[in-house]
Amino acid sequence: MTTTIPALAAPAAGQPLVRTTIEVRTPGAHDVAIDIKFAGICHSDIHQARDEWSVGLFPMVPGHEIAGIVSAVGSDVSRYQVGDRVGVGCFVDSCRECVNCLAGEEQYCLKGEVGTYNDRYYDGTATNGGYSTAVVVDENYVLGIPEGIELSEAAPLLCAGITLYSPLKNWKAGPGKKVAILGMGGLGHMGVKIAHALGAEVTVLSQTLSKQEDGLRFGADHYYATSDPTTFTELENHFDLIVNTVAANLDMERYLQLLALDGTLVHVGIPTEPDSVKMFWLASQRRSIAGSKIGGIRQTQEMLDFCAAHGIGADIEVITVDQVNEAYERVIRSDVRYRFVIDVASFANETRVGA
């Protein structure tokens, strides 16, 4: 059985999102049904709705930053109960058998993790995202949202938060480490907050100083404009870690020269075109280039608990479902501080699943 619920979908690649309805399965024995309260808008939603990364599945209901309340649970669910505050991030299943899944790194599942939207479960059923009023997910892929974080501010943590927390933890940002966050957008502002809470010395590298006041308020110790050539001479051989959040092609060689001995430049922003670098800039100071995606379920829960303990949430602008197309254009113009979140109550006639 299924339940029909309101949703917002891209009917075809590049077309404006429109109100529609979708079918949501009745919870199985291990499923959790969630009344979605807030859904964050990620730049990757725009890339996928516009077919900028690969061929998409349309009509597409985007959204992998989901925060809501449990409305029903399956008979064998042990982790959650009705009324719990929960979230769903970037994937809703994985093979659970490969070495990466068994290590708690489901985001790197060798069979391919099942994306929250624009993907198919292993049985071929299409997935739909959080631009809707409800979702049903296996309990193993549901996260608990601790008290102390507003649901609206927690939603972006399910992608933006874990996208920055994972490399900062994996490359050991903390006391005694000099960390640069490249870019001060939706991802970057979370990186500043988390790196500061981890105890690192935090520098923001942004094109201009227009967001300097915000960056310092979020916990940055230093703020530099990359449009100023003196930035690259003053900070040469300086950082242990640079996390690049910019989803555009930059002159990577300039940034590699900012790394100290054994420093690493980690990419979390994903440009559409390839980059190239001279290997000299890696070999000269034993520098490294790396990439990072998100985190596994265990690390994502750790991130949520960490953020609650340190009073960290995303800085957001709450919008209605009818403002999403405008919000997409504003994201492209970098006209948001710092993350759009859809108030799902703006859908008329919410429908509970599994009740």
Side-chain angles (χ1 to χ4, degrees):
M1 291 180 61
T2 61
T3 302
T4 303
I5 63 167
L8 196 69
Q15 292 190 9
L17 278 70
V18 297
R19 286 177 178 254
T20 187
T21 58
I22 58 173
E23 299 299 311
V24 177
R25 70 177 186 265
T26 298
H30 296 281
D31 284 339
V32 175
I34 302 166
D35 283 343
I36 300 174
K37 300 302 180 185
F38 297 96
I41 292 179
C42 179
H43 204 144
S44 61
D45 296 347
I46 302 172
H47 286 305
Q48 294 185 75
R50 297 182 177 183
D51 245 7
E52 294 172 346
W53 282 351
S54 61
V55 178
L57 302 175
F58 293 93
M60 182 189 299
V61 178
H64 56 208
E65 299 180 342
I66 300 169
I69 304 295
V70 175
S71 61
V73 296
S75 58
D76 293 336
V77 170
S78 60
R79 301 181 183 183
Y80 301 102
Q81 58 186 5
V82 172
D84 283 352
R85 294 155 42 94
V86 295
V88 178
C90 298
F91 58 95
V92 291
D93 202 359
S94 63
C95 79
R96 316 184 197 199
E97 298 175 346
C98 72
V99 63
N100 292 348
C101 284
L102 294 176
E105 301 281 8
E106 301 95 340
Q107 76 277 26
Y108 300 121
C109 175
L110 295 177
K111 186 176 179 179
E113 77 280 16
V114 176
T116 302
Y117 70 92
N118 192 27
D119 205 351
R120 295 188 185 277
Y121 286 101
Y122 299 129
D123 67 2
T125 305
T127 60
N128 289 306
Y131 296 10
S132 59
T133 60
V135 66
V136 176
V137 180
D138 184 290
E139 69 169 326
N140 292 293
Y141 300 87
V142 176
L143 290 308
I145 296 178
E147 297 292 340
I149 312 177
E150 295 293 333
L151 285 179
S152 56
E153 296 179 4
L157 301 183
L158 277 304
C159 178
I162 188 58
T163 296
L164 272 296
Y165 184 85
S166 188
L168 289 169
K169 287 289 287 186
N170 292 343
W171 276 272
K172 297 178 171 46
K177 296 288 187 177
K178 295 178 179 178
V179 174
I181 304 298
L182 176 52
M184 250 290 285
L187 292 176
H189 94 288
M190 291 306 311
V192 174
K193 292 183 179 188
I194 292 170
H196 172 72
L198 287 168
E201 181 181 331
V202 184
T203 298
V204 174
L205 301 174
S206 187
Q207 187 173 13
T208 71
L209 299 179
S210 64
K211 298 177 182 177
Q212 182 175 19
E213 184 177 344
D214 284 351
L216 298 177
R217 176 168 57 88
F218 296 151
D221 300 287
H222 316 284
Y223 202 108
Y224 287 85
T226 57
S227 56
D228 181 352
T230 65
T231 291
F232 293 90
T233 55
E234 183 176 345
L235 297 177
E236 190 173 1
N237 301 313
H238 184 75
F239 296 109
D240 300 297
L241 174 65
I242 300 174
V243 182
N244 176 22
T245 71
V246 179
N249 296 93
L250 303 174
D251 183 352
M252 284 297 108
E253 293 178 4
R254 299 181 78 197
Y255 294 96
L256 285 171
Q257 294 174 66
L258 304 184
L259 291 171
L261 179 66
D262 289 325
T264 303
L265 172 60
V266 180
H267 291 267
V268 297
I270 309 297
T272 56
E273 299 298 324
D275 278 322
S276 64
V277 298
K278 293 178 181 177
M279 293 302 104
F280 173 83
W281 297 115
L282 299 179
S284 64
Q285 290 293 322
R286 208 160 58 205
R287 299 169 173 130
S288 301
I289 296 177
S292 182
K293 207 160 62 166
I294 46 175
I297 294 298
R298 181 173 60 230
Q299 191 178 56
T300 305
Q301 187 63 63
E302 176 186 301
M303 177 274 302
L304 288 169
D305 295 340
F306 177 88
C307 287
H310 290 84
I312 296 173
D315 276 43
I316 62 171
E317 180 177 335
V318 178
I319 62 172
T320 68
V321 295
D322 296 318
Q323 294 175 301
V324 170
N325 289 309
E326 176 189 357
Y328 273 23
E329 298 304 321
R330 287 181 57 191
V331 169
I332 292 170
R333 298 195 305 267
S334 298
D335 179 25
V336 56
R337 294 198 181 183
Y338 281 85
R339 208 75 168 177
F340 284 116
V341 173
I342 304 166
D343 182 356
V344 172
S346 57
F347 278 112
N349 302 318
E350 280 191 304
T351 305
R352 290 173 60 84
V353 178

